[in-house]
Amino acid sequence: MYQDKTLVCKECGEEFIFSAGEQEFYAERGFQNEPRRCKNCRSKRKNEDRPPREYFTAVCAACGGEARIPFEPKSDRPVYCSECFAKMKANG
């Protein structure tokens, strides 16, 4: 029913693909207009007003390695690096 379309970004002038899946998503949500910006320009515009995220460094409670986290660690709660956190999440 839908076919990929090549559109031109109004922000940077680069071509981008408006995929058949994206078109179906837009139709399901009742959006009438096609996107006018590529994914990169949409992301930049969306995050324009946000301050840059501050990261903190902590020691991983599982492996002892460095963990970079987007919140200030508290001494009463363990902090895990992304690898150990993913393992714990997978194991339930």
Side-chain angles (χ1 to χ4, degrees), residues 32-66:
Q32 307 242 328
N33 300 322
E34 296 178 339
R36 298 178 68 194
R37 292 177 178 85
C38 65
K39 184 170 176 33
N40 288 339
C41 290
R42 285 194 312 259
S43 294
K44 269 193 261 178
R45 186 179 168 109
K46 180 180 173 186
N47 294 322
E48 225 168 42
D49 296 331
R50 293 183 183 171
R53 184 173 253 185
E54 183 178 358
Y55 283 91
F56 298 88
T57 303
V59 177
C60 176
C63 71
E66 183 179 290

Side-chain angles (χ1 to χ4, degrees), residues 7-92:
L7 303 176
V8 177
C9 177
K10 82 172 205 171
E11 197 82 20
C12 67
E14 295 290 319
E15 289 185 347
F16 66 98
I17 302 296
F18 185 34
S19 73
E22 290 171 321
Q23 292 174 50
E24 188 174 347
F25 174 83
Y26 272 52
E28 286 173 0
R29 301 295 186 281
F31 299 149
Q32 307 242 328
N33 300 322
E34 296 178 339
R36 298 178 68 194
R37 292 177 178 85
C38 65
K39 184 170 176 33
N40 288 339
C41 290
R42 285 194 312 259
S43 294
K44 269 193 261 178
R45 186 179 168 109
K46 180 180 173 186
N47 294 322
E48 225 168 42
D49 296 331
R50 293 183 183 171
R53 184 173 253 185
E54 183 178 358
Y55 283 91
F56 298 88
T57 303
V59 177
C60 176
C63 71
E66 183 179 290
R68 291 191 29 85
I69 52 176
F71 58 88
E72 191 165 6
K74 304 213 188 284
S75 59
D76 62 332
R77 308 264 320 210
V79 174
Y80 302 98
C81 65
S82 54
E83 291 84 20
C84 291
F85 184 78
K87 286 178 196 172
M88 290 175 52
K89 193 173 181 181
N91 292 336

